[in-house]
Every structure is written in structure tokens, then in C-alpha cells.
Amino acid sequence: MLASRASRSFAQRAGLRNVGCALAVAALAAGCASVSGPPPAQAPAAPLPRNVEPPPPKVNLSGFPLPYRQGYADGCASVSGAERKDAARFSADPNYRTGWQDGVALCRKK
């Protein structure tokens, strides 16, 4: 009788262990599952208007003219998303052009 109790107890423990393992695997699999589809379409970002102060960058640009700071902001934003550039200002305004090029170069390094 002792042998049958011991084997029954072992069988019950083994069954509970298997059930516990199955639940753990199911929980892990459910945690890894994700509902994903195609990424949302990004609208082309518009460059900053000429009279708008850009958001402060992580570098100190306080001594630079506004067109440079705007170009820097547009260039830096172009690295992480759609290109944001005012083509007319880029070709005509050297401050905007230099700021845009610096923004792309410095933000790409991060």
C-alpha cells in the first residue's frame, strides 16, 4: 500500500508540474504575441516657417541666427523621419543650408 501511495503521489506531482510548465509556456507565448500591421503612413513633414522659433536642440545654438537654428531643426528632424527641408531656402539662404547640413550630420551620429 505504501508503494501505491508513493507512486500515486509522484504521479500527481508530475502531472501538476507538467500543467505548471504548460501554463508558463502559454503565458510566455502570449506575452510575446503582438498585434502589428503595417506602420502608419507618415505625412511629409513641413519645414519650419521663417518666423517660428524651432524647439530647443540638445546642443547650444543660442549664438546662431534664426535661419541657422531653423535649418538645424529641419535637418535633425529629417534624420528620424521623412526629409524636412525648405528647398527654396536651402538653395538661397546659406545660414539655413549650413544649419540643415549640420543638423543632419550631428543628429545622424547619435
Side-chain angles (χ1 to χ4, degrees):
M1 183 135 231
L2 184 61
S4 71
R5 261 194 222 161
S7 65
R8 192 173 4 156
S9 175
F10 176 74
Q12 288 173 344
R13 281 186 275 150
L16 288 176
R17 188 177 313 138
N18 288 341
V19 170
C21 288
L23 288 174
V25 169
L28 287 173
C32 293
S34 65
V35 178
S36 65
Q42 292 182 352
L48 293 173
R50 291 179 183 257
N51 59 349
V52 173
E53 185 68 35
K58 294 182 180 181
V59 295
N60 183 5
L61 298 179
S62 61
F64 291 89
L66 180 61
Y68 179 91
R69 294 192 309 267
Q70 291 171 331
Y72 185 93
D74 287 348
C76 196
S78 296
V79 170
S80 61
E83 184 176 275
R84 190 166 95 178
K85 182 194 305 185
D86 185 340
R89 287 180 75 188
F90 188 84
S91 63
D93 187 349
N95 282 320
Y96 180 85
R97 180 176 46 253
T98 304
W100 192 90
Q101 291 168 340
D102 289 350
V104 168
L106 293 174
C107 292
R108 189 175 288 152
K109 289 182 181 180
K110 294 179 183 177

